[in-house]
């Protein structure tokens, strides 16, 4: 993969269109539901700055946690499949941040592909090996996300008291999305022999290699799960701190569920960083516990951390790679 091909995709007309669509959706959402932008802005300006900055700081502790987990996954795979140079935790954190930058400004999760490219470049590993370690990361995330969605989603529904089918659908929507995704993966696995006769042999061989490396890299499961729980816990604590900064009381089940809901919607590949999909969806969920104005203020503040700050600091990390000649 060439560096220029990634850069061209990031600044292509497809990227411009992928931003235009969510902007139109957000504008429609604002006018359709008569959101008072002035009161929303006032709520944001009145937020406790110290608590907000603490949430911002905490958010960036997730990068070294994820880097440590990624390094363990790489070491697991290296023992069996390859002998490569493994970057340190700081460099792996930098690569993850740049990957998140790519996902925030380009559709189709191109940031993950760019992350694979950067790791391959730094470690001298082949693309199949690098891709497999990132896939293994996603698998460990699923082991945490699915129980959290099911457990805390049902707990929140029970906390609501009066049964409301519309609320239940909103709460269980991300679980349904993940279930469909897992069903599609399972179907592909079951039909792999048929697919192997259709797709080119080179692609089929690479797919088998990626599968073997991914599965082998999931050893030391206990520590991988602990690190995954730690990474997701920081997401929940960040959302709790943001809610505290604007004086919104959500309750722990809602905080945990909403943070996972947030992460899932931000991963939707159609638009960069879930832009235009996450905001209305998360506001709808939070409105089960608070007013519309408070929910909008909370979501915008949280997105200033989980979206805007990623673009800012990710761009700084990418610029630093250029300056130091490591790109």
């Amino acid at each position: 993969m060439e560096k220029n091909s990634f850069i061209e995709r990031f600044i292509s007309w497809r990227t411009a269109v992928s931003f235009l669509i969510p902007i139109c959706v957000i504008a429609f959402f604002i006018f359709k539901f008569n959101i008072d932008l002035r009161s929303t802005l006032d709520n944001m300006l009145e937020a406790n700055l110290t608590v907000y900055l603490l949430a911002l700081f905490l958010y960036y502790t997730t990068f070294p946690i994820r880097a440590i987990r990624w390094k363990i996954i790489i070491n697991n795979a290296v023992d069996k499949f390859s002998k490569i140079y493994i970057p340190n935790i700081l460099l792996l954190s930098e690569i993850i941040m740049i990957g998140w930058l790519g996902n925030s400004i380009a559709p189709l999760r191109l940031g993950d592909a760019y992350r694979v490219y950067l790791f391959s470049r730094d470690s001298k590993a082949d693309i199949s090996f690098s891709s497999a370690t990132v896939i293994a990361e996603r698998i460990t995330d699923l082991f945490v996300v699915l129980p959290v969605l099911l457990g805390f989603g049902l707990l929140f529904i029970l906390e609501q008291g009066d049964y409301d089918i519309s609320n239940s659908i909103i709460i269980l929507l991300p679980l349904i999305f993940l279930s469909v995704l897992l069903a599609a993966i399972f179907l592909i696995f079951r039909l792999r022999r048929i697919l192997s006769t259709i797709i080119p042999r080179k692609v089929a061989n690479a797919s088998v290699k990626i599968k073997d490396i991914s599965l082998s890299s999931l050893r030391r499961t206990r520590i991988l799960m602990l690190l995954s729980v730690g990474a997701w816990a920081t997401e929940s604590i960040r959302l709790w701190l943001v809610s505290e900064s604007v004086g919104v009381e959500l309750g722990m089940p809602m905080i945990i569920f909403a943070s996972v809901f947030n992460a899932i919607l931000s991963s939707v590949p159609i638009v960069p960083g879930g832009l235009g999909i996450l905001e209305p969806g998360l506001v709808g969920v939070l409105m089960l516990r608070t007013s519309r104005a408070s929910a909008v203020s909370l979501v915008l503040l949280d997105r200033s951390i989980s979206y805007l700050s990623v673009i800012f600091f990710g761009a700084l990390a990418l610029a630093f790679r250029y300056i130091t000649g490591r790109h």
Side-chain angles (χ1 to χ4, degrees):
M1 295 186 185
E2 293 297 329
K3 175 182 67 178
N4 289 340
S5 67
F6 280 111
I7 301 300
E8 289 169 2
R9 290 184 184 184
F10 284 149
I11 62 175
S12 69
W13 64 269
R14 295 182 183 87
T15 301
V17 170
S18 69
F19 271 105
L20 182 62
I21 294 173
I23 289 172
C24 292
V25 171
I26 293 172
F28 172 80
F29 176 74
I30 291 172
F31 290 108
K32 174 68 175 178
F33 295 96
N34 297 318
I35 294 175
D36 189 342
L37 294 179
R38 183 182 294 275
S39 62
T40 299
L41 181 60
D42 289 341
N43 287 341
M44 294 173 63
L45 292 175
E46 291 172 2
N48 186 312
L49 182 60
T50 302
V51 177
Y52 173 81
L53 291 176
L54 181 59
L56 178 65
F57 170 78
L58 184 69
Y59 178 69
Y60 282 91
T61 63
T62 191
F63 287 97
I65 293 173
R66 293 179 184 276
I68 293 170
R69 184 184 64 175
W70 192 18
K71 187 164 187 174
I72 292 172
I73 288 172
I74 295 166
N75 279 319
N76 287 343
V78 163
D79 290 344
K80 185 174 180 181
F81 286 95
S82 181
K83 297 297 180 183
I84 62 172
Y85 166 73
I86 303 177
N88 59 38
I89 300 300
L90 182 61
L91 292 180
L92 289 177
S93 299
E94 176 189 89
I95 293 172
I96 293 173
M97 185 177 295
I98 293 173
W100 286 26
L101 163 67
N103 288 335
S104 298
I105 64 175
L108 305 177
R109 305 287 296 176
L110 280 179
D112 286 343
Y114 198 41
R115 174 181 165 188
V116 166
Y117 163 77
L118 290 178
F119 176 75
S120 296
R121 184 182 177 91
D122 287 357
S123 66
K124 309 305 180 185
D126 61 38
I127 295 298
S128 297
F129 181 92
S130 303
S131 300
T133 62
V134 174
I135 291 171
E137 260 203 317
R138 295 292 178 264
I139 294 172
T140 58
D141 280 333
L142 281 176
F143 281 126
V144 175
V145 168
L146 282 175
V148 168
L149 277 177
L150 183 59
F152 284 92
L154 292 176
L155 179 60
F156 182 72
I157 289 174
L158 293 175
E159 276 195 348
Q160 289 294 97
D162 296 334
Y163 183 77
D164 187 334
I165 186 65
S166 62
N167 289 354
S168 300
I169 292 173
I170 291 174
I171 292 298
L172 296 177
L173 187 62
L175 183 61
I176 295 170
F177 171 77
L178 278 182
S179 299
V180 171
L181 178 62
L182 288 175
I185 294 172
F186 177 76
L187 184 63
I188 291 173
F189 179 77
R190 294 290 295 178
L191 298 176
R192 65 188 184 281
R193 291 184 180 177
I194 298 175
L195 292 175
S196 64
T197 64
I198 300 173
I199 61 178
R201 180 176 296 275
K202 187 175 182 180
V203 175
N205 292 338
S207 300
V208 171
K209 182 179 179 182
I210 288 173
K211 182 200 73 174
D212 291 341
I213 295 173
S214 298
L215 294 177
S216 72
S217 64
L218 292 175
R219 291 180 290 114
R220 291 183 263 185
T221 307
R222 185 175 302 176
I223 189 170
L224 290 178
M225 289 299 104
L226 286 174
L227 289 168
S228 298
V229 169
W232 285 101
T234 60
E235 299 277 351
S236 297
I237 298 171
R238 181 203 78 229
L239 185 59
W240 172 71
L241 287 171
V242 174
S243 68
E244 287 292 309
S245 73
V246 290
V248 175
E249 183 63 40
L250 295 175
M252 193 51 62
M254 172 55 92
I255 287 288
I256 295 175
F257 178 82
S259 64
V260 176
F261 187 93
N262 184 337
I264 291 173
L265 290 187
S266 66
S267 301
V268 174
I270 302 172
V271 291
L275 191 65
I277 295 176
L278 185 152
E279 293 80 12
L282 190 56
V283 167
V285 169
L286 296 181
M287 281 177 60
L288 298 175
R289 271 294 176 84
T290 188
S291 67
R292 180 183 297 164
S294 296
V296 172
S297 301
L298 198 163
V299 169
L300 291 179
L301 273 179
D302 189 65
R303 289 293 271 170
S304 71
I305 294 174
S306 64
Y307 184 76
L308 293 180
S309 77
V310 168
I311 293 177
F312 177 75
F313 289 112
L316 288 181
L318 185 59
F320 183 72
R321 284 185 71 91
Y322 273 102
I323 293 171
T324 56
R326 291 182 294 112
H327 202 285

